[in-house]
Amino acid sequence: MLNIGLLGLGTVGQGVVEIISKRKKELEELLNKKIRIKKILVKNMDKKRNIILPEDILTDNFNDIIEDDEIQLIIEATSSLGEGYRYVKEGLERGKHVVTANKAIVSRYFEELTALALENRVAFLYEASVAGGIPILKPLKEHIPLNRINEIQGILNGTCNYILTKMFEDDLDYDEALKIAQDLGYAESDPVADVEGYDTLRKLRILSSLGLQRKILEDDILLEGIDNIKSFDIEQIKKLNSVIKLIGEAKHYEDGYVAIVLPTIVAKDTYFSTINGAFNSISFKGDNVGELKFYGPGAGKLPTANAILTDVLDIGLNTYRNKNLLGKKRLKNYNYSMKGRFYLRIPKMDWKVERGLEEITEEILGQNKYIGIKTKEIELERIYGIIRTLNIKKKEYFLGRFL
Ligand code: HSE
Protein backbone atom coordinates (compact mmCIF):
# COMPACT_ATOMS: atom_id res chain seq x y z
CA MET A 1 0.00 0.00 0.00
CA LEU A 2 1.25 3.47 -0.88
CA ASN A 3 -0.14 5.78 1.78
CA ILE A 4 -0.14 9.48 1.00
CA GLY A 5 -0.56 12.51 3.23
CA LEU A 6 -1.91 15.44 1.26
CA LEU A 7 -1.26 18.96 2.53
CA GLY A 8 -3.83 21.45 1.27
CA LEU A 9 -7.17 20.96 -0.41
CA GLY A 10 -7.29 24.02 -2.63
CA THR A 11 -7.49 23.87 -6.41
CA VAL A 12 -4.42 21.66 -6.85
CA GLY A 13 -5.12 19.42 -3.82
CA GLN A 14 -8.62 18.74 -5.12
CA GLY A 15 -7.15 17.89 -8.51
CA VAL A 16 -4.91 15.29 -6.86
CA VAL A 17 -7.87 13.68 -5.08
CA GLU A 18 -9.88 13.69 -8.31
CA ILE A 19 -7.21 12.06 -10.48
CA ILE A 20 -6.32 9.41 -7.89
CA SER A 21 -9.96 8.43 -7.58
CA LYS A 22 -10.55 8.49 -11.36
CA ARG A 23 -7.39 6.52 -12.25
CA LYS A 24 -7.10 4.29 -9.16
CA LYS A 25 -7.26 1.02 -11.08
CA GLU A 26 -4.60 2.04 -13.61
CA LEU A 27 -2.32 3.47 -10.93
CA GLU A 28 -2.58 0.38 -8.77
CA GLU A 29 -1.94 -1.92 -11.71
CA LEU A 30 1.21 0.00 -12.57
CA LEU A 31 2.47 0.27 -9.00
CA ASN A 32 1.45 -3.25 -8.20
CA LYS A 33 0.05 -2.08 -4.89
CA LYS A 34 -2.86 -0.15 -3.48
CA ILE A 35 -2.68 3.63 -3.36
CA ARG A 36 -4.68 5.83 -1.03
CA ILE A 37 -4.70 9.30 0.41
CA LYS A 38 -4.77 8.54 4.11
CA LYS A 39 -4.99 12.06 5.50
CA ILE A 40 -5.54 15.54 4.15
CA LEU A 41 -4.37 18.57 6.06
CA VAL A 42 -6.73 21.54 5.82
CA LYS A 43 -6.98 24.85 7.65
CA ASN A 44 -10.73 24.76 8.14
CA MET A 45 -12.38 21.39 8.81
CA ASP A 46 -15.92 22.80 8.53
CA LYS A 47 -15.58 24.50 5.17
CA LYS A 48 -18.13 23.36 2.57
CA ARG A 49 -16.31 21.59 -0.26
CA ASN A 50 -17.55 20.33 -3.62
CA ILE A 51 -15.77 17.04 -3.28
CA ILE A 52 -16.75 13.68 -1.83
CA LEU A 53 -14.24 12.46 0.73
CA PRO A 54 -14.01 9.40 2.99
CA GLU A 55 -14.96 10.06 6.58
CA ASP A 56 -12.20 11.11 8.98
CA ILE A 57 -9.75 11.85 6.20
CA LEU A 58 -9.47 15.55 7.00
CA THR A 59 -7.28 16.89 9.77
CA ASP A 60 -6.14 20.33 10.81
CA ASN A 61 -3.17 18.92 12.71
CA PHE A 62 0.05 18.24 10.79
CA ASN A 63 1.12 15.81 13.54
CA ASP A 64 -1.57 13.39 12.33
CA ILE A 65 0.45 13.08 9.15
CA ILE A 66 4.04 13.43 10.27
CA GLU A 67 3.60 11.01 13.18
CA ASP A 68 1.87 8.39 11.07
CA ASP A 69 4.48 5.82 10.08
CA GLU A 70 2.19 4.33 7.47
CA ILE A 71 2.35 7.55 5.48
CA GLN A 72 5.46 7.27 3.32
CA LEU A 73 4.79 10.13 0.97
CA ILE A 74 3.68 13.72 1.45
CA ILE A 75 2.16 15.80 -1.32
CA GLU A 76 2.59 19.44 -0.41
CA ALA A 77 -0.09 21.46 -2.21
CA THR A 78 -0.43 24.51 0.00
CA SER A 79 0.37 27.95 -1.31
CA SER A 80 2.18 28.98 1.83
CA LEU A 81 5.91 29.60 1.90
CA GLY A 82 6.56 29.56 5.66
CA GLU A 83 4.30 26.73 6.78
CA GLY A 84 4.81 24.78 3.57
CA TYR A 85 8.58 24.89 4.04
CA ARG A 86 8.26 23.62 7.60
CA TYR A 87 6.08 20.72 6.47
CA VAL A 88 8.42 19.76 3.63
CA LYS A 89 11.47 19.97 5.86
CA GLU A 90 9.94 17.94 8.67
CA GLY A 91 8.63 15.41 6.19
CA LEU A 92 12.07 14.85 4.67
CA GLU A 93 13.73 14.73 8.09
CA ARG A 94 11.26 12.08 9.17
CA GLY A 95 12.16 9.96 6.14
CA LYS A 96 9.05 10.64 4.06
CA HIS A 97 9.21 11.32 0.34
CA VAL A 98 7.94 14.77 -0.59
CA VAL A 99 6.32 15.96 -3.80
CA THR A 100 5.46 19.63 -4.07
CA ALA A 101 3.86 22.05 -6.51
CA ASN A 102 4.99 25.02 -4.44
CA LYS A 103 7.54 26.94 -6.50
CA ALA A 104 8.07 29.53 -3.78
CA ILE A 105 9.42 26.81 -1.47
CA VAL A 106 11.54 25.11 -4.11
CA SER A 107 12.94 28.42 -5.30
CA ARG A 108 13.82 29.70 -1.83
CA TYR A 109 15.16 26.46 -0.34
CA PHE A 110 16.24 24.46 -3.40
CA GLU A 111 19.77 23.51 -2.29
CA GLU A 112 18.83 22.87 1.34
CA LEU A 113 15.86 20.62 0.60
CA THR A 114 17.68 18.75 -2.14
CA ALA A 115 20.53 17.97 0.26
CA LEU A 116 18.12 17.05 3.05
CA ALA A 117 16.30 14.54 0.85
CA LEU A 118 19.57 12.85 -0.10
CA GLU A 119 20.73 12.77 3.48
CA ASN A 120 17.50 11.03 4.49
CA ARG A 121 17.46 8.78 1.41
CA VAL A 122 14.09 9.96 0.23
CA ALA A 123 12.82 11.81 -2.82
CA PHE A 124 12.15 15.53 -3.09
CA LEU A 125 10.36 16.08 -6.41
CA TYR A 126 8.77 19.24 -7.78
CA GLU A 127 7.79 18.75 -11.43
CA ALA A 128 4.51 20.62 -10.86
CA SER A 129 6.31 23.71 -9.59
CA VAL A 130 7.37 24.77 -13.08
CA ALA A 131 4.91 25.20 -15.94
CA GLY A 132 1.97 23.26 -14.48
CA GLY A 133 1.19 20.23 -16.61
CA ILE A 134 4.21 20.43 -18.92
CA PRO A 135 6.84 17.80 -18.18
CA ILE A 136 9.93 20.00 -18.26
CA LEU A 137 12.09 19.23 -15.22
CA LYS A 138 12.35 15.52 -15.94
CA PRO A 139 13.60 16.04 -19.52
CA LEU A 140 15.92 18.80 -18.36
CA LYS A 141 17.36 16.57 -15.64
CA GLU A 142 17.88 13.81 -18.18
CA HIS A 143 19.82 16.12 -20.46
CA ILE A 144 22.06 17.80 -17.89
CA PRO A 145 24.69 15.05 -17.77
CA LEU A 146 24.74 14.79 -21.56
CA ASN A 147 24.79 18.45 -22.55
CA ARG A 148 25.96 21.88 -21.64
CA ILE A 149 22.65 23.72 -21.54
CA ASN A 150 23.35 27.04 -23.24
CA GLU A 151 19.93 28.64 -23.15
CA ILE A 152 16.55 28.30 -21.47
CA GLN A 153 13.62 30.48 -22.48
CA GLY A 154 10.06 30.28 -21.38
CA ILE A 155 6.63 31.73 -21.07
CA LEU A 156 6.21 30.45 -17.56
CA ASN A 157 3.18 32.19 -16.13
CA GLY A 158 -0.30 31.35 -17.36
CA THR A 159 -1.91 34.36 -15.70
CA CYS A 160 0.38 36.88 -17.40
CA ASN A 161 0.11 35.15 -20.73
CA TYR A 162 -3.66 35.10 -20.44
CA ILE A 163 -3.78 38.82 -19.57
CA LEU A 164 -1.47 39.79 -22.42
CA THR A 165 -3.39 37.64 -24.91
CA LYS A 166 -6.70 39.19 -23.87
CA MET A 167 -5.29 42.72 -24.04
CA PHE A 168 -4.02 42.09 -27.56
CA GLU A 169 -6.85 40.06 -28.99
CA ASP A 170 -9.94 41.46 -27.26
CA ASP A 171 -8.71 44.99 -26.50
CA LEU A 172 -9.46 44.45 -22.80
CA ASP A 173 -7.71 46.70 -20.37
CA TYR A 174 -5.32 45.26 -17.82
CA ASP A 175 -7.73 45.14 -14.84
CA GLU A 176 -10.50 43.44 -16.80
CA ALA A 177 -8.13 40.78 -18.12
CA LEU A 178 -6.66 40.14 -14.65
CA LYS A 179 -10.12 39.70 -13.16
CA ILE A 180 -11.00 37.00 -15.71
CA ALA A 181 -7.68 35.21 -15.10
CA GLN A 182 -8.47 35.17 -11.38
CA ASP A 183 -11.99 33.88 -11.97
CA LEU A 184 -10.59 31.08 -14.09
CA GLY A 185 -8.28 30.00 -11.26
CA TYR A 186 -4.97 30.66 -13.05
CA ALA A 187 -3.74 33.36 -10.72
CA GLU A 188 -2.13 32.72 -7.36
CA SER A 189 -4.22 33.70 -4.32
CA ASP A 190 -2.19 36.89 -4.33
CA PRO A 191 -1.88 37.80 -8.04
CA VAL A 192 0.98 40.21 -7.33
CA ALA A 193 3.32 37.23 -7.58
CA ASP A 194 2.02 36.58 -11.09
CA VAL A 195 1.82 40.06 -12.59
CA GLU A 196 4.95 41.50 -11.00
CA GLY A 197 6.84 38.53 -12.40
CA TYR A 198 7.89 36.79 -9.17
CA ASP A 199 6.21 33.55 -10.16
CA THR A 200 8.12 33.51 -13.45
CA LEU A 201 11.30 34.44 -11.61
CA ARG A 202 10.93 31.52 -9.20
CA LYS A 203 10.37 29.10 -12.05
CA LEU A 204 13.40 30.48 -13.87
CA ARG A 205 15.46 30.15 -10.68
CA ILE A 206 14.60 26.43 -10.60
CA LEU A 207 15.14 25.84 -14.32
CA SER A 208 18.34 27.85 -14.55
CA SER A 209 19.96 26.43 -11.42
CA LEU A 210 19.47 22.97 -12.84
CA GLY A 211 20.14 23.83 -16.47
CA LEU A 212 23.18 26.09 -16.10
CA GLN A 213 24.55 24.03 -13.22
CA ARG A 214 25.17 27.13 -11.13
CA LYS A 215 23.34 28.30 -8.05
CA ILE A 216 21.18 31.08 -9.52
CA LEU A 217 19.23 32.63 -6.69
CA GLU A 218 16.13 34.79 -6.91
CA ASP A 219 18.28 37.89 -6.35
CA ASP A 220 20.50 36.95 -9.28
CA ILE A 221 17.62 37.35 -11.70
CA LEU A 222 16.74 40.73 -13.19
CA LEU A 223 13.00 41.28 -13.07
CA GLU A 224 10.38 43.43 -14.74
CA GLY A 225 6.73 42.37 -14.60
CA ILE A 226 3.68 43.28 -16.64
CA ASP A 227 1.74 45.11 -13.93
CA ASN A 228 2.56 48.52 -15.42
CA ILE A 229 1.47 47.73 -18.96
CA LYS A 230 -1.05 50.13 -20.51
CA SER A 231 -3.22 50.09 -23.59
CA PHE A 232 -0.77 52.71 -24.94
CA ASP A 233 1.99 50.08 -24.93
CA ILE A 234 -0.20 47.54 -26.67
CA GLU A 235 -0.94 50.10 -29.41
CA GLN A 236 2.76 50.75 -30.04
CA ILE A 237 3.60 47.06 -30.15
CA LYS A 238 0.72 46.31 -32.49
CA LYS A 239 2.11 48.92 -34.90
CA LEU A 240 5.25 46.80 -35.10
CA ASN A 241 3.21 43.74 -36.08
CA SER A 242 4.36 42.13 -32.86
CA VAL A 243 2.98 40.92 -29.55
CA ILE A 244 4.42 40.99 -26.05
CA LYS A 245 5.04 38.04 -23.75
CA LEU A 246 6.55 37.78 -20.29
CA ILE A 247 9.62 35.63 -20.92
CA GLY A 248 12.14 34.25 -18.49
CA GLU A 249 15.53 33.56 -20.03
CA ALA A 250 18.83 32.17 -18.84
CA LYS A 251 21.90 32.06 -21.07
CA HIS A 252 25.22 30.40 -20.47
CA TYR A 253 28.26 32.27 -21.85
CA GLU A 254 31.84 31.05 -21.64
CA ASP A 255 32.51 32.42 -18.16
CA GLY A 256 29.19 33.98 -17.26
CA TYR A 257 25.45 33.94 -17.51
CA VAL A 258 22.40 36.11 -17.90
CA ALA A 259 19.14 35.37 -16.05
CA ILE A 260 16.29 37.77 -16.71
CA VAL A 261 12.52 38.02 -16.61
CA LEU A 262 11.35 40.76 -18.95
CA PRO A 263 8.30 41.59 -21.03
CA THR A 264 9.52 40.57 -24.47
CA ILE A 265 8.35 41.79 -27.85
CA VAL A 266 8.15 39.02 -30.41
CA ALA A 267 7.23 39.38 -34.08
CA LYS A 268 3.84 37.93 -34.96
CA ASP A 269 5.13 35.08 -37.10
CA THR A 270 7.62 33.72 -34.54
CA TYR A 271 7.22 30.75 -32.18
CA PHE A 272 6.54 32.49 -28.87
CA SER A 273 3.85 34.71 -30.46
CA THR A 274 1.76 31.59 -31.00
CA ILE A 275 1.66 30.68 -27.28
CA ASN A 276 -1.61 32.18 -26.11
CA GLY A 277 -4.03 32.14 -23.18
CA ALA A 278 -2.90 30.31 -20.06
CA PHE A 279 -0.55 28.08 -22.03
CA ASN A 280 3.15 27.98 -21.29
CA SER A 281 6.11 27.07 -23.42
CA ILE A 282 9.72 26.43 -22.58
CA SER A 283 12.66 25.73 -24.80
CA PHE A 284 16.15 24.72 -23.90
CA LYS A 285 19.26 24.33 -26.01
CA GLY A 286 21.86 21.70 -25.28
CA ASP A 287 25.14 21.50 -27.15
CA ASN A 288 24.38 17.93 -28.21
CA VAL A 289 20.64 17.64 -28.38
CA GLY A 290 20.04 21.07 -29.98
CA GLU A 291 16.88 23.00 -29.19
CA LEU A 292 13.91 21.27 -27.55
CA LYS A 293 10.54 22.96 -27.18
CA PHE A 294 7.80 22.07 -24.72
CA TYR A 295 4.27 23.40 -24.85
CA GLY A 296 1.14 22.84 -22.79
CA PRO A 297 -1.14 23.98 -19.97
CA GLY A 298 0.97 25.97 -17.53
CA ALA A 299 -1.60 26.25 -14.78
CA GLY A 300 -4.92 24.85 -13.62
CA LYS A 301 -6.24 22.16 -11.34
CA LEU A 302 -5.89 18.95 -13.33
CA PRO A 303 -2.70 19.70 -15.30
CA THR A 304 -0.86 20.67 -12.11
CA ALA A 305 -2.24 17.70 -10.18
CA ASN A 306 -1.25 15.48 -13.09
CA ALA A 307 2.34 16.72 -12.85
CA ILE A 308 2.34 15.96 -9.11
CA LEU A 309 1.20 12.44 -9.81
CA THR A 310 3.94 11.81 -12.37
CA ASP A 311 6.35 12.42 -9.47
CA VAL A 312 4.31 10.16 -7.20
CA LEU A 313 4.62 7.41 -9.80
CA ASP A 314 8.37 7.92 -10.03
CA ILE A 315 8.58 7.44 -6.29
CA GLY A 316 6.23 4.45 -6.29
CA LEU A 317 8.24 2.81 -9.08
CA ASN A 318 11.59 4.02 -7.73
CA THR A 319 12.50 5.56 -11.08
CA TYR A 320 13.45 9.03 -9.90
CA ARG A 321 17.04 10.33 -10.04
CA ASN A 322 18.42 9.72 -6.64
CA LYS A 323 21.26 12.24 -7.00
CA ASN A 324 21.94 15.87 -6.28
CA LEU A 325 21.61 17.31 -9.77
CA LEU A 326 22.45 20.87 -8.76
CA GLY A 327 25.83 22.00 -10.06
CA LYS A 328 28.48 24.27 -8.65
CA LYS A 329 29.81 26.12 -11.69
CA ARG A 330 31.39 29.50 -11.11
CA LEU A 331 29.89 31.91 -13.61
CA LYS A 332 29.71 35.70 -13.50
CA ASN A 333 26.41 37.49 -13.71
CA TYR A 334 26.16 39.63 -16.86
CA ASN A 335 22.55 40.76 -16.55
CA TYR A 336 23.17 44.50 -16.73
CA SER A 337 25.64 44.29 -19.57
CA MET A 338 23.23 42.29 -21.69
CA LYS A 339 22.92 43.98 -25.08
CA GLY A 340 19.71 44.36 -27.01
CA ARG A 341 17.00 46.64 -28.31
CA PHE A 342 14.45 47.68 -25.72
CA TYR A 343 11.01 49.23 -25.52
CA LEU A 344 10.65 51.96 -22.93
CA ARG A 345 7.53 53.93 -22.09
CA ILE A 346 7.67 56.77 -19.64
CA PRO A 347 5.46 59.77 -18.89
CA LYS A 348 5.99 62.60 -21.33
CA MET A 349 7.44 65.23 -19.10
CA ASP A 350 9.35 67.99 -20.84
CA TRP A 351 12.12 68.56 -23.34
CA LYS A 352 14.75 67.41 -20.83
CA VAL A 353 13.26 63.95 -20.89
CA GLU A 354 13.52 63.80 -24.63
CA ARG A 355 17.10 65.08 -24.48
CA GLY A 356 17.91 62.31 -22.01
CA LEU A 357 16.33 59.72 -24.24
CA GLU A 358 17.70 61.01 -27.51
CA GLU A 359 21.02 59.26 -27.49
CA ILE A 360 19.54 55.79 -26.91
CA THR A 361 16.50 56.13 -29.18
CA GLU A 362 16.27 54.42 -32.52
CA GLU A 363 12.61 55.29 -33.07
CA ILE A 364 9.88 57.14 -31.20
CA LEU A 365 6.94 54.78 -31.55
CA GLY A 366 4.24 57.02 -30.15
CA GLN A 367 3.57 59.91 -27.83
CA ASN A 368 0.69 61.65 -26.10
CA LYS A 369 0.82 61.92 -22.33
CA TYR A 370 3.35 59.07 -22.57
CA ILE A 371 6.30 58.56 -24.82
CA GLY A 372 7.19 55.09 -26.07
CA ILE A 373 10.53 54.42 -27.77
CA LYS A 374 12.45 51.61 -29.37
CA THR A 375 16.09 51.90 -28.39
CA LYS A 376 19.22 51.36 -30.43
CA GLU A 377 21.25 48.29 -29.53
CA ILE A 378 22.50 49.18 -26.06
CA GLU A 379 23.39 47.56 -22.78
CA LEU A 380 20.47 47.12 -20.40
CA GLU A 381 22.19 49.14 -17.69
CA ARG A 382 21.90 52.29 -19.84
CA ILE A 383 18.12 52.10 -19.60
CA TYR A 384 18.26 51.88 -15.83
CA GLY A 385 20.75 54.78 -15.87
CA ILE A 386 18.23 56.92 -17.73
CA ILE A 387 15.37 55.86 -15.46
CA ARG A 388 17.49 56.89 -12.48
CA THR A 389 18.67 60.17 -14.01
CA LEU A 390 15.15 61.20 -14.93
CA ASN A 391 13.94 60.12 -11.51
CA ILE A 392 11.19 57.94 -12.93
CA LYS A 393 9.48 55.78 -10.35
CA LYS A 394 8.87 52.05 -10.72
CA LYS A 395 5.14 52.46 -11.35
CA GLU A 396 5.73 55.12 -14.02
CA TYR A 397 7.64 53.20 -16.65
CA PHE A 398 7.18 50.05 -18.67
CA LEU A 399 10.21 48.26 -19.98
CA GLY A 400 10.44 45.42 -22.43
CA ARG A 401 12.97 44.06 -24.85
CA PHE A 402 12.90 42.96 -28.43
CA LEU A 403 13.76 39.31 -28.96
N1 HSE B 1 -0.29 31.34 -11.06
C1 HSE B 1 0.49 30.43 -11.84
C2 HSE B 1 0.33 30.80 -13.30
C3 HSE B 1 0.02 29.02 -11.60
O1 HSE B 1 -0.51 31.65 -13.61
O2 HSE B 1 1.07 30.30 -14.14
C4 HSE B 1 0.94 27.98 -12.10
O3 HSE B 1 2.21 28.06 -11.55
Side-chain angles (χ1 to χ4, degrees), residues 189-366:
S189 41
D190 177 5
V192 165
D194 293 300
V195 295
E196 291 189 3
Y198 292 100
D199 181 78
T200 301
L201 176 141
R202 289 172 186 140
K203 292 167 180 166
L204 186 67
R205 136 76 164 146
I206 300 167
L207 287 167
S208 61
S209 294
L210 281 167
L212 271 54
Q213 290 288 286
R214 184 214 196 260
K215 188 170 167 186
I216 296 177
L217 298 173
E218 293 181 3
D219 284 346
D220 297 324
I221 300 176
L222 186 143
L223 171 69
E224 293 288 341
I226 64 155
D227 50 317
N228 288 344
I229 197 164
K230 296 190 184 300
S231 300
F232 175 90
D233 304 312
I234 306 281
E235 274 168 41
Q236 310 319 314
I237 294 156
K238 274 189 176 171
K239 283 188 212 159
L240 300 168
N241 204 24
S242 296
V243 292
I244 193 157
K245 303 285 175 188
L246 186 67
I247 292 185
E249 176 178 300
K251 272 195 176 166
H252 190 318
Y253 297 99
E254 237 2 83
D255 64 341
Y257 74 97
V258 160
I260 53 167
V261 174
L262 275 180
T264 304
I265 296 163
V266 290
K268 264 210 170 142
D269 51 359
T270 54
Y271 176 72
F272 277 125
S273 76
T274 64
I275 314 298
N276 286 319
F279 284 88
N280 283 191
S281 177
I282 303 126
S283 66
F284 68 80
K285 284 185 190 160
D287 58 349
N288 292 314
V289 70
E291 183 171 21
L292 298 176
K293 286 185 160 76
F294 301 80
Y295 167 80
K301 174 166 125 175
L302 294 176
T304 310
N306 191 78
I308 287 180
L309 288 163
T310 64
D311 281 344
V312 169
L313 284 182
D314 272 347
I315 292 170
L317 295 167
N318 205 16
T319 49
Y320 65 93
R321 285 177 187 238
N322 196 5
K323 288 265 176 291
N324 188 343
L325 296 169
L326 293 166
K328 291 199 173 112
K329 275 193 192 171
R330 299 168 79 85
L331 296 170
K332 288 183 218 144
N333 184 308
Y334 289 142
N335 285 349
Y336 285 95
S337 47
M338 186 186 94
K339 274 195 161 176
R341 286 191 161 71
F342 300 91
Y343 170 82
L344 179 66
R345 185 261 300 146
I346 57 173
K348 190 155 164 56
M349 293 186 267
D350 57 31
W351 60 271
K352 274 192 242 148
V353 174
E354 278 163 40
R355 282 271 293 276
L357 284 182
E358 210 169 47
E359 56 189 48
I360 62 161
T361 300
E362 182 169 283
E363 191 183 343
I364 296 178
L365 298 172

Side-chain angles (χ1 to χ4, degrees), residues 119-161:
E119 207 178 296
N120 289 285
R121 296 165 195 249
V122 286
F124 170 57
L125 298 179
Y126 39 83
E127 180 63 63
S129 69
V130 177
I134 305 175
I136 178 63
L137 297 177
K138 278 190 242 292
L140 184 61
K141 285 175 180 176
E142 272 175 18
H143 286 85
I144 294 166
L146 294 166
N147 290 264
R148 185 175 108 166
I149 306 294
N150 287 319
E151 184 180 296
I152 301 172
Q153 281 182 328
I155 294 178
L156 297 166
N157 183 271
T159 304
C160 290
N161 208 45

Side-chain angles (χ1 to χ4, degrees), residues 82-180:
E83 266 182 354
Y85 164 65
R86 180 169 73 79
Y87 298 151
V88 171
K89 193 169 174 221
E90 275 187 43
L92 295 172
E93 281 167 350
R94 295 289 282 262
K96 298 185 194 295
H97 302 291
V98 175
V99 173
T100 183
N102 192 325
K103 50 243 148 201
I105 297 177
V106 184
S107 172
R108 183 73 65 87
Y109 303 104
F110 204 3
E111 290 75 19
E112 179 192 331
L113 295 174
T114 302
L116 196 59
L118 273 176
E119 207 178 296
N120 289 285
R121 296 165 195 249
V122 286
F124 170 57
L125 298 179
Y126 39 83
E127 180 63 63
S129 69
V130 177
I134 305 175
I136 178 63
L137 297 177
K138 278 190 242 292
L140 184 61
K141 285 175 180 176
E142 272 175 18
H143 286 85
I144 294 166
L146 294 166
N147 290 264
R148 185 175 108 166
I149 306 294
N150 287 319
E151 184 180 296
I152 301 172
Q153 281 182 328
I155 294 178
L156 297 166
N157 183 271
T159 304
C160 290
N161 208 45
Y162 184 86
I163 292 172
L164 294 173
T165 304
K166 284 282 168 196
M167 289 181 81
F168 265 85
E169 288 183 357
D170 300 344
D171 291 323
L172 295 190
D173 71 28
Y174 173 81
D175 291 327
E176 287 171 308
L178 170 60
K179 170 81 179 52
I180 306 177

Side-chain angles (χ1 to χ4, degrees), residues 7 61-69 71 74 86-96:
L7 314 183
N61 184 354
F62 181 57
N63 287 337
D64 290 343
I65 291 176
I66 199 79
E67 303 289 348
D68 185 337
D69 289 336
I71 294 180
I74 288 178
R86 180 169 73 79
Y87 298 151
V88 171
K89 193 169 174 221
E90 275 187 43
L92 295 172
E93 281 167 350
R94 295 289 282 262
K96 298 185 194 295

